[in-house]
Amino acid sequence: MGATAPTPGLEFTVSLDVRRDQQPHHDARIDALLRVEAVGIGPRDEVPAVELAVVIALDVAAARREAAAAALAAALRALPDGVSFTVLGGADASGEPTLCYPLRSRWALADTMEKRRAAFSAGRIAPAAGDRPPPGYPAWLAAARTLFAERPLPVRHLLLITDGSGRDPADPTGPGGAGTGALRTELTSCEGAFTADVLAVGGGWDPAPLLAVVESLHGTAEPAPDRFGPAVTGAVRRLRRVRSPELPVVVWARGAVRAVELTEIAPREQRLEPEFREDDPRLTEFPTYQWEPGDRNYRLTVHADASADPLGVLLQLATVRVGDAVAALLVRWQQPGVAVGAAAAGSGGHLLQTVNAATRMRTALIRGYAALDPLIRDEAERQLGLAVRLATEIDAAWVLQDVGKVADIVDRAGGVVRVGPTVDHVNLRVGRLKTASGHPLKLPVHAAGKPVPCPHCGHLAGPGAPYCISCGKSL
């Protein structure tokens, strides 16, 4: 989908923070923090609207039809001139999604008159009749895939607005939300053809299939009010900041490296799937999507065989390239028993501790939510308590707020929570959705080269120093 090279509107800076001194092993694991900064260059802050194709699919029950039609009309009036758009809503006699707008073609090009007609036509959307099955998520995705095949623009994006009434009960999802059956099959067909966001209205939806959609199609899932117009407008505005629809993170590794993994930490947490090069087995590409100006953080993990390497010598295990920017992964094998706790410049070891704590915190939060439905009180309290304790350590206030909506926090630092006799399932669903895609990890950033005063003694330390050299306390 789109070009795999950076557009002229982006310039990249790449850095790798890693603990330089490592213990040798035949399968040594090295974790590094990969930080990518994308800076917009050129005369425009937004891509031209004519480069965007957007399908808006409205999947709501009859009880929400009136509010949904009003919200959709407001969102259509706010579309930028020049964007290609289609509106899907309701179902035909066979239960397949119907085209609400445009009326006589498959795509419309937004201008004042088209937006006015589209807003008026929003009232035509009707839910499936009681004797017909709802379209189901696979049907919405298949309809969008067919439409996008006719509109090969650089940015192609589906906005699925759903209250969960259109989920196909014959298409269950697995415990991890990856989906099986028709949904999983359709997601495989759609991957690379377009990206997708989900706006979940109300509180009766199941988070698992919605998360499966956005994880496979590289978007976000967010709870939204019935009057969802501003959320649609915000999503389209964000799409206009996308300068490079698709871009690989390319990792070259020396022969001693047996495996490479890459996990995005921020702006959202997700493990990236590798693509291997037949012409060069040392190269691994990790496709990424929707690049706009800003920062992204990744955890790069390599498994290396150090048995044939010298000790005490700085070695380049791998290089990472994003666009035209390259950074090297450098480590030094130390003799067994030698302390290897010191971090390299840039405090990679310290930051990786924060990253690892955040990963454990999210995992515990997801498991705690899962234990609340069905209610397994002991497991829920144990996992949510761990999430609260880790959130307190890394100052993730959002976790405390979300856990507080489904349990009582007795001791934040000790990680003690109590679950009541009943669970608020609406807050539980919203919490699961927000945990997966709504809260990026914020890492500390200091200006390059600017000294930081020790909070204990006031002595100035370098921006990457984990400890003060004067008093020895943690910074």
Side-chain angles (χ1 to χ4, degrees):
M1 183 185 64
T4 57
T7 67
L10 281 180
E11 191 173 79
F12 294 94
T13 302
V14 179
S15 64
L16 277 167
D17 290 322
V18 65
R19 214 171 54 193
R20 287 282 173 87
D21 292 330
Q22 299 281 344
Q23 289 285 357
H25 193 267
H26 70 275
D27 187 22
R29 170 175 172 151
I30 311 296
D31 287 320
L33 181 64
L34 170 63
R35 312 186 83 163
V36 183
E37 180 183 5
V39 177
I41 57 176
R44 292 191 300 260
D45 292 330
E46 294 181 327
V47 299
V50 294
E51 295 186 6
L52 273 65
V54 179
V55 171
I56 301 175
L58 189 61
D59 173 37
V60 296
R64 283 196 167 83
R65 177 183 178 276
E66 185 176 348
L72 179 60
L76 292 170
R77 293 189 193 99
L79 287 175
D81 288 346
V83 65
S84 296
F85 72 99
T86 296
V87 181
L88 297 173
D92 60 19
S94 64
E96 294 300 310
T98 57
L99 191 65
C100 171
Y101 195 85
L103 304 177
R104 295 182 178 86
S105 60
R106 307 266 288 173
W107 286 93
L109 195 64
D111 60 22
T112 301
M113 188 59 67
E114 285 286 359
K115 290 186 288 186
R116 186 179 300 162
R117 293 191 186 112
F120 180 77
S121 299
R124 298 175 61 238
I125 292 181
D131 59 346
R132 296 187 217 141
Y137 298 142
W140 295 113
L141 294 170
R145 176 167 53 85
T146 300
L147 287 164
F148 283 124
E150 304 169 6
R151 210 71 164 180
L153 295 178
V155 179
R156 301 188 293 277
H157 194 76
L158 168 67
L159 280 170
L160 176 60
I161 304 160
T162 182
D163 62 0
S165 60
R167 183 191 175 194
D168 184 354
D171 183 44
T173 56
T180 60
L183 178 58
R184 184 71 266 168
T185 300
E186 186 56 43
L187 285 173
T188 301
S189 299
C190 293
E191 191 162 1
F194 60 92
T195 53
D197 286 346
V198 171
L199 297 179
V201 297
W205 34 268
D206 180 359
L210 303 184
L211 291 172
V213 169
V214 297
E215 288 168 2
S216 294
L217 302 182
H218 315 287
T220 58
E222 297 178 359
D226 283 3
R227 301 287 181 174
F228 53 77
V232 173
T233 302
V236 174
R237 187 180 299 119
R238 181 185 60 81
L239 288 174
R240 293 199 65 186
R241 295 197 298 268
V242 174
R243 305 287 187 94
S244 187
E246 180 181 346
L247 183 69
V249 176
V250 182
V251 180
W252 176 92
R254 7 180 351 229
V257 173
R258 295 176 170 177
V260 179
E261 302 167 9
L262 192 65
T263 302
E264 182 178 339
I265 301 163
R268 57 181 175 268
E269 189 167 355
Q270 58 180 336
R271 181 166 177 174
L272 304 184
E273 294 298 324
E275 293 184 356
F276 302 100
R277 294 270 296 270
E278 293 183 1
D279 59 330
D280 189 346
R282 296 175 301 174
L283 278 179
T284 307
E285 295 187 350
F286 296 88
T288 61
Y289 298 84
Q290 294 192 356
W291 281 87
E292 59 189 80
D295 296 338
R296 292 194 188 186
N297 295 310
Y298 300 87
R299 181 196 294 108
L300 173 67
T301 301
V302 300
H303 297 266
D305 181 3
S307 57
D309 286 338
L311 299 178
V313 177
L314 206 56
L315 302 171
Q316 180 174 301
L317 289 187
T319 58
V320 179
R321 176 170 59 84
V322 181
D324 295 327
V326 179
L329 178 64
L330 303 174
V331 301
R332 180 169 43 226
W333 304 120
Q334 295 290 6
Q335 293 182 3
V338 174
V340 294
S347 65
H350 178 65
L351 288 178
L352 278 171
Q353 289 176 4
T354 302
V355 168
N356 291 334
T359 299
R360 292 173 58 211
M361 176 192 72
R362 287 181 187 271
T363 300
L365 194 55
I366 291 170
R367 289 175 177 172
Y369 283 144
L372 289 176
D373 188 17
L375 182 56
I376 307 173
R377 184 172 282 102
D378 290 346
E379 176 66 5
E381 290 178 346
R382 186 173 71 85
Q383 296 292 348
L384 293 177
L386 175 59
V388 164
R389 178 174 65 79
L390 293 170
T392 303
E393 292 178 3
I394 65 174
D395 196 24
W398 65 270
V399 172
L400 306 179
Q401 294 172 359
D402 287 359
V403 171
K405 295 177 181 178
V406 295
D408 293 325
I409 300 176
V410 179
D411 180 2
R412 292 187 301 176
V416 180
V417 304
R418 292 289 179 263
V419 175
T422 60
V423 177
D424 185 330
H425 284 83
V426 173
N427 278 325
L428 174 58
R429 295 186 190 104
V430 171
R432 288 182 62 187
L433 210 62
K434 291 167 63 178
T435 299
S437 61
H439 290 286
L441 172 65
K442 296 181 180 179
L443 295 175
V445 178
H446 300 296
K450 184 177 180 180
V452 180
C454 172
H456 308 286
C457 69
H459 182 83
L460 294 180
Y467 298 97
C468 176
I469 63 172
S470 177
C471 67
K473 295 182 178 179
S474 173
L475 296 175

